Amino acid sequence: MAQVYDRVALIGLGLIASSMAHAMRRDGLAGQIVGYAKSAETRQTAREIGLCDHVAESAAEAADGADLIVLCVPVGAMGAVAAEIAPVLKPGATVSDVGSVKRTVIEAVGPYIPDGVHFIPAHPLAGTEHSGPRAGFAELFDNRYTIIVPVQGSDTDAVARLSALWQGMGALVEEMDPEHHDLVLAVTSHTPHLIAYTMVGVADDLRRVTDSEVIKYSAAGFRDFTRIAASDPVMWRDVFLNNKEATLEILGRFTEELFALQRAIRQGDGDHLHDYFTRTRAIRRGIIEAGQDTDAPDFGRGKARKE
Ligand SMILES: NC(=O)c1ccc[n+]([C@@H]2O[C@H](COP(=O)([O-])OP(=O)(O)OC[C@H]3O[C@@H](n4cnc5c(N)ncnc54)[C@H](O)[C@@H]3O)[C@@H](O)[C@H]2O)c1
Ligand SMILES: O=C(O)C(=O)C[C@]1(C(=O)O)C=C[C@@H](O)C=C1
């Protein structure tokens, strides 16, 4: 694929930024990649592994002269970074981000974007429990959705160009409005993470109390919970503080269902349990039959990735 942007600045050099750097290089999508992270240790690591063409000493130095600036920092840090880079943004440049929450990021960053600069928030629905500049890999976004969340008056050419970059990095691109994004992600990502954190905490408490080996002998499902619960605490603290309304709404519904199942177990109501599990099994099967399982070997064939 041809180059999409001349100079790309990545602010924050963790899992997502480093994966973007590898993916952009794999496909020659950027003429030059400049990076910056707050911690000197991270900047040093990025230099050692040759992650970018240049590692800057400030966010403003990285953003200066860039055609695309992508904010890859925890959601709670987006506004401060936007304030820092605002004075050096060149006319016609695009500022984007990869934050897991969209409405509060738009509120925090939007006011700093000068006239003549495009602001196009985005969110790749891809990740791992690892963080930092060594965690990235070029294939992270392959066949995964990236949600672009255009703000009012977003320039269509600038949106198309950013979409082309994400498609070049292997992603399937869709657009959503911020409120819808935050609600969908509260269901599919944020609340499930909270449940995993809770379950791992409960198991850990139990281990201490009984001195049994619940974690050592955990089966596959629980092992997945522990993987998710190993995710970066700063990132996830910021997700919940910034998607309060939607996660509280989904948690409320979750708790109601959980109480109903708890009552069914207590009362020996096998029909309730059987009906419930039959319904949830049908959901998984429906996803697979509809060809919506992005892990299926033939998913997205011919849609996004070039062979
Ligand atoms: N990890 C995931 O699964 C995942 C998936 C999609 C989107 N996201 C979002 O992407 C963003 C980055 O997540 P990540 O997983 O790459 O995190 P990470 O912890 O791997 O990296 C974050 C980076 O930001 C830097 N940083 C923190 N505050 C900063 C500041 N004020 N100025 C400059 N640099 C700063 C850190 O030094 C680090 O290099 C977050 O907003 C997160 O919500 C994460
Ligand atoms: O696979 C994982 O480790 C993830 O949790 C990735 C995951 C997700 O919930 O799917 C986590 C947060 C993001 O904003 C997007 C993707």
Side-chain angles (χ1 to χ4, degrees):
M1 181 151 182
Q3 185 177 306
V4 184
Y5 291 96
D6 191 7
R7 182 173 156 132
V8 175
L10 301 172
I11 313 294
L13 293 173
L15 169 73
I16 300 298
S18 56
S19 297
M20 289 182 74
H22 292 305
M24 285 190 280
R25 283 196 166 156
R26 174 186 68 183
D27 294 313
L29 303 170
Q32 192 194 18
I33 302 171
V34 183
Y36 168 74
K38 187 174 68 167
S39 120
E41 193 187 336
T42 302
R43 296 199 296 277
Q44 182 53 29
T45 304
R47 287 190 184 106
E48 275 167 26
I49 63 175
L51 187 64
C52 310
D53 298 302
H54 174 65
V55 177
E57 281 302 303
S58 71
E61 185 201 334
D64 198 1
D67 302 286
L68 172 69
I69 302 95
V70 190
L71 310 183
C72 305
V73 298
V75 165
M78 298 278 183
V81 173
E84 202 187 326
I85 63 172
V88 304
L89 294 172
K90 76 173 185 188
T94 292
V95 174
S96 186
D97 77 294
V98 294
S100 304
V101 180
K102 296 278 55 104
R103 191 178 54 82
T104 57
V105 169
I106 291 169
E107 285 167 4
V109 172
Y112 293 108
I113 305 296
D115 286 346
V117 173
H118 308 294
F119 175 39
I120 311 170
H123 178 202
L125 305 188
T128 72
E129 70 280 24
H130 303 298
S131 40
R134 292 186 194 274
F137 54 100
E139 298 76 23
L140 179 66
F141 310 114
D142 285 352
N143 277 340
R144 300 285 157 192
Y145 283 102
T146 287
I147 309 295
I148 293 202
V149 183
V151 292
Q152 217 185 1
S154 278
D155 180 80
T156 48
D157 288 346
V159 171
R161 201 167 167 203
L162 185 67
S163 300
L165 178 76
W166 278 105
Q167 282 165 345
M169 291 192 289
L172 308 158
V173 174
E174 300 247 326
E175 287 186 20
M176 263 186 209
D177 68 61
E179 282 72 24
H180 189 60
H181 168 279
D182 289 357
L183 183 63
V184 169
L185 268 291
V187 177
T188 60
S189 174
H190 305 167
T191 309
H193 271 78
L194 200 70
I195 294 165
Y197 282 125
T198 315
M199 204 48 233
V200 173
V202 167
D204 188 43
D205 286 347
L206 204 62
R207 187 173 59 91
R208 284 206 200 104
V209 173
T210 64
D211 203 23
S212 73
E213 291 175 308
V214 280
I215 292 190
K216 186 171 171 191
Y217 295 121
S218 60
F222 185 69
R223 219 174 299 134
D224 284 347
F225 274 22
T226 62
R227 182 188 77 73
I228 286 172
S231 302
D232 186 65
V234 173
M235 170 186 156
W236 284 98
R237 176 201 66 192
D238 284 7
V239 165
F240 292 111
L241 294 181
N242 284 276
N243 200 16
K244 226 184 232 178
E245 235 169 76
T247 38
L248 289 178
E249 162 70 21
I250 302 306
L251 264 179
R253 287 167 184 254
F254 175 81
T255 318
E256 283 174 22
E257 301 269 315
L258 194 63
F259 280 148
L261 289 171
Q262 194 176 339
R263 195 178 51 234
I265 294 169
R266 193 187 311 285
Q267 295 176 340
D269 186 350
D271 286 347
H272 182 96
L273 296 173
H274 185 268
D275 289 352
Y276 201 90
F277 301 155
T278 303
R279 178 154 72 88
T280 53
R281 173 194 245 186
I283 292 168
R284 171 71 189 165
R285 291 186 170 173
I287 292 170
I288 292 167
E289 276 162 25
Q292 290 176 332
D293 179 10
T294 52
D295 281 332
D298 60 347
F299 180 81
R301 182 175 288 164
K303 253 175 119 185
R305 286 272 323 125
K306 15 189 205 307
E307 301 300 328

